[in-house]
Amino acid sequence: RSTKGIFRKLLDKAKLSELNLENFAHFEEHALQDVKLSMNKQETISDILEIWSRNQIDWERLDEIEVKKELSSIKGIGKW
């Protein structure tokens, strides 16, 4: 089971084609209600949402190394 496959199934369950800040509450209610996540994973998701909502990074302009650096600075996201 790949992460992408699991994520796709969760999007399908919530009847969404993509995930963004505007539809995350809907996604959380319809796709994550039956998923048991550890407290650490829940905190990581919350941290990502908080950073994403207040962050003004132009992700499209960053190269792969810069994106990895930004994402790796979030607690719970390691280097890949």
Side-chain angles (χ1 to χ4, degrees), residues 10 13 25-37:
L10 291 172
K13 185 175 182 180
H26 176 87
F27 177 78
E28 187 174 31
E29 179 182 344
H30 293 90
L32 296 182
Q33 65 185 7
D34 298 328
V35 176
K36 293 179 177 35
L37 297 174

Side-chain angles (χ1 to χ4, degrees), residues 46-66:
S46 292
D47 290 346
I48 291 168
L49 286 172
E50 181 180 333
I51 289 168
W52 196 270
S53 65
R54 67 179 161 81
N55 200 336
Q56 299 302 315
I57 293 175
D58 185 357
W59 294 96
E60 298 290 327
R61 300 186 112 194
L62 299 180
D63 64 28
E64 184 176 339
I65 293 170
E66 293 169 318

Side-chain angles (χ1 to χ4, degrees), residues 16-47:
L16 297 171
S17 60
E18 66 178 14
L19 183 61
N20 55 48
L21 289 174
E22 290 77 29
N23 66 17
F24 187 79
H26 176 87
F27 177 78
E28 187 174 31
E29 179 182 344
H30 293 90
L32 296 182
Q33 65 185 7
D34 298 328
V35 176
K36 293 179 177 35
L37 297 174
S38 70
M39 184 59 77
N40 286 343
K41 286 189 180 12
Q42 291 178 32
E43 288 173 1
T44 298
I45 291 171
S46 292
D47 290 346

